[in-house]
Amino acid sequence: MNILLLGSGGREHAFAWKIVQSPACSRLFVAPGNAGTAEIAQNVKLAATDFPGIHQFILRESIDLVVVGPEEPLVKGLVDFLQSQPDTVNLPIVGPSKLGATLEGSKDFSKRFMQRNGVPTAAYETFTADQIEAGLAYLEKQSLPIVLKADGLAAGKGVLICENLEEAKSSLKEMLLDAKFGDASSKVVVEEFLSGIELSVFVATDGKSYKILPEAKDYKRIGEGDTGLNTGGMGAVSPVIFADSDFMQKVEDRIVKPTIAGLEKEQIDYKGFVFIGLMNNNGNPFVIEYNVRMGDPETEAVLPRIESDFVGLLTAIATGKLDQYELKISPNYSTTVVMVSGGYPGSYEKGFPISLPEKTEGSVIFHAGTATNPEGHLVNQGGRVLAITGVGSELQEALDHAFSTVNQISWEKAYFRKDIGQDILNLTK
Ligand code: AMP
Ligand code: GLY
């Protein structure tokens, strides 16, 4: 098969790494890709949102399968666009329709979907600018802290957790009246605060059947001990000890089943991944959000644990034959440590040469924000630069493998969290 993968992050390098291991893959193209995907596949100078460019490329290279990594092209309607072109109308694509992608593109839509389909989630109300007075009055009656969410995509920044009423009121005004997050906050979801431990659950679906992939824990804050600013994700661990079979059964029965049944009942065309961000609140799962793609850096920890043929999984999703696919998961531990540019998630300097080790025992180096400079050196180009995944039969072994590789990698001002996985290790002691 000729496969086109869209995206340029660590998630996409992990997808590419897994796809090229499959005997079903003849040629893999990544648009636009990064310096890591360039080593194992052919990068294509095309943005993931250049719909006509992607369409032409598909025809020119006889692409048999398209795999969409990030949410943006999905929310903008890439799948509907390709299905509206006579020569790609039946092309297998991993990624939901525009309506399906609204589960991530609009928090209000996704909350209403959960409510209609009986999926447990925090209590909420949605407000627009002309409902500001009602919104402020609603805030007065809620307990604290309270969560304000911009309805639309806001690059992971649109969620505010307010500790006091004054802060909540002024934030609601800024979001609705001063467009704090641009168009994304023209509607605001005001939501009950859920306490507990977060878990990332990944579901592959063809819109009718589903397979639950390995779960993962993400480390979102920049600082050790979960302190400081939120980031795209500084590390991941899979499996997660508190996600035992009892808890995962609740997740499947209360969340996964009604979600997939809801997609089918509401005739939402969804062939792709559903990433369920959930809170374990005293042993009960509540959905914080849906994403319509895999997580990053969770993917870099999850995919190494998939033992069955990965292109087979992607094809089964895209062609509606997931019920015939047998998913095999390795019992191994997998841990990912993200190395970032110094200063991230604030401003940072780019272009420092990166030195990578020759040998990486028990670990894999995934590229995220890397590039090759005119002199041919690998350099840092983005905030999150590399994601190093270690695998082992025990969590400690997986961590040792990841960190022994991390410790051999350097560039000026590189930073990473040394405490990835420590909280889970402590739970096992
Ligand atoms: P989201 O963009 O919806 O993933 O929200 C970003 C982060 O805010 C989540 O990963 C949680 O850590 C936190 N968060 C969102 N909603 C809630 C909530 N209702 N209760 C507690 N924390 C939340
Ligand atoms: N790691 C969280 C995300 O991909 O949104």
Side-chain angles (χ1 to χ4, degrees):
M1 291 173 83
N2 296 328
I3 302 173
L4 172 63
L5 169 67
L6 302 181
S8 62
R11 170 183 49 214
E12 285 75 24
H13 189 186
F15 264 87
W17 172 80
K18 202 70 187 161
I19 287 171
V20 297
Q21 288 173 37
S22 168
C25 173
S26 344
R27 292 191 302 161
L28 174 65
F29 300 93
V30 190
N34 60 34
T37 60
E39 286 173 11
I40 55 173
Q42 196 175 324
N43 281 358
V44 186
K45 280 204 174 69
L46 259 182
T49 48
D50 176 358
F51 295 180
I54 290 167
H55 177 244
Q56 273 175 14
F57 185 84
I58 288 168
L59 298 181
R60 195 171 75 227
E61 298 294 342
S62 307
I63 297 297
D64 303 298
L65 175 71
V66 176
V67 182
V68 187
E71 66 279 10
E72 196 188 356
L74 297 167
V75 172
K76 290 188 168 156
L78 174 65
V79 172
D80 308 58
F81 174 82
L82 292 175
Q83 287 173 348
S84 72
Q85 308 294 310
D87 38 22
T88 49
V89 63
N90 290 317
L91 180 70
I93 308 172
V94 177
S97 63
K98 187 171 184 176
L99 182 59
T102 311
L103 284 179
E104 177 165 359
S106 163
K107 306 256 187 215
D108 177 55
F109 177 89
S110 103
K111 295 292 284 189
R112 282 189 282 129
F113 176 89
M114 287 184 240
Q115 245 179 7
R116 282 196 300 276
N117 292 289
V119 176
T121 186
Y124 82 106
E125 286 275 341
T126 302
F127 300 95
T128 53
D130 52 8
Q131 297 164 320
I132 183 74
E133 291 308 323
L136 295 172
Y138 180 80
L139 285 177
E140 301 245 357
K141 283 182 263 151
Q142 307 308 309
S143 48
L144 294 164
I146 183 89
V147 185
L148 306 189
K149 297 186 171 182
D151 176 61
L153 292 185
K157 298 196 173 84
V159 175
L160 302 179
I161 296 175
C162 301
E163 303 289 341
N164 65 62
L165 184 60
E166 283 321 303
E167 182 193 348
K169 283 180 160 176
S170 59
S171 298
L172 185 67
K173 285 188 210 156
E174 278 168 28
M175 288 169 93
L176 288 177
L177 307 180
D178 309 333
K180 184 178 170 86
F181 299 106
D183 252 10
S185 64
S186 62
K187 260 189 204 170
V188 174
V189 168
V190 179
E191 181 176 288
E192 167 197 14
F193 178 83
L194 296 169
S195 56
I197 318 182
E198 285 184 64
L199 182 71
S200 302
V201 172
F202 300 98
V203 182
T205 183
D206 56 11
K208 306 181 296 277
S209 356
Y210 64 84
K211 303 280 173 193
I212 301 181
L213 306 181
E215 77 287 349
K217 181 180 190 292
D218 182 12
Y219 292 78
K220 288 180 199 280
R221 303 296 192 97
I222 187 72
E224 283 168 18
D226 291 323
T227 53
L229 293 174
N230 252 324
T231 70
M234 294 296 291
V237 173
S238 177
V240 181
I241 189 171
F242 70 76
D244 55 18
S245 57
D246 214 37
F247 183 74
M248 289 308 287
Q249 193 62 50
K250 289 183 192 166
V251 171
E252 179 164 7
D253 292 341
R254 298 179 192 176
I255 295 172
V256 177
K257 281 184 181 160
T259 298
I260 305 304
L263 292 174
E264 197 175 8
K265 192 171 83 207
E266 300 187 13
Q267 297 182 331
I268 298 175
D269 179 19
Y270 203 116
K271 296 183 174 70
F273 297 100
V274 188
F275 162 2
I276 303 170
L278 60 81
M279 194 68 91
N280 176 345
N281 179 267
N282 295 321
N284 292 312
F286 288 83
V287 176
I288 293 178
E289 63 170 351
Y290 291 119
N291 294 301
V292 298
R293 51 173 174 84
M294 290 293 290
D296 195 350
E298 291 98 322
T299 300
E300 292 94 302
V302 166
L303 294 199
R305 295 190 56 216
I306 297 181
E307 285 181 334
S308 40
D309 182 59
F310 191 59
V311 171
L313 172 64
L314 298 171
T315 308
I317 293 170
T319 56
K321 295 191 179 130
L322 199 53
D323 56 339
Q324 292 161 38
Y325 180 81
E326 196 188 335
L327 178 68
K328 275 217 200 98
I329 302 297
S330 147
N332 277 340
Y333 281 83
S334 187
T335 61
T336 300
V337 178
V338 176
M339 301 184 73
V340 304
S341 298
Y344 172 83
S347 59
Y348 51 84
E349 287 172 72
K350 299 177 187 178
F352 295 123
I354 301 172
S355 70
L356 296 179
E358 303 260 303
K359 276 213 203 112
T360 55
E361 212 177 289
S363 68
V364 195
I365 299 172
F366 295 116
H367 291 232
T370 60
T372 308
N373 73 5
E375 291 82 54
H377 285 303
L378 185 70
V379 296
N380 68 317
Q381 169 83 9
R384 293 192 292 172
V385 179
L386 297 169
I388 318 304
T389 297
V391 176
S393 55
E394 298 294 336
L395 177 54
Q396 185 64 61
E397 188 190 0
L399 287 167
D400 290 346
H401 283 152
F403 281 106
S404 99
T405 297
V406 167
N407 289 326
Q408 296 173 65
I409 299 176
S410 61
W411 72 88
E412 246 182 276
K413 302 185 181 166
Y415 169 79
F416 59 90
R417 271 179 65 169
K418 297 186 185 70
D419 67 340
I420 302 302
Q422 284 306 319
D423 52 342
I424 307 269
L425 264 186
N426 293 340
L427 285 176
T428 62
K429 279 176 192 158

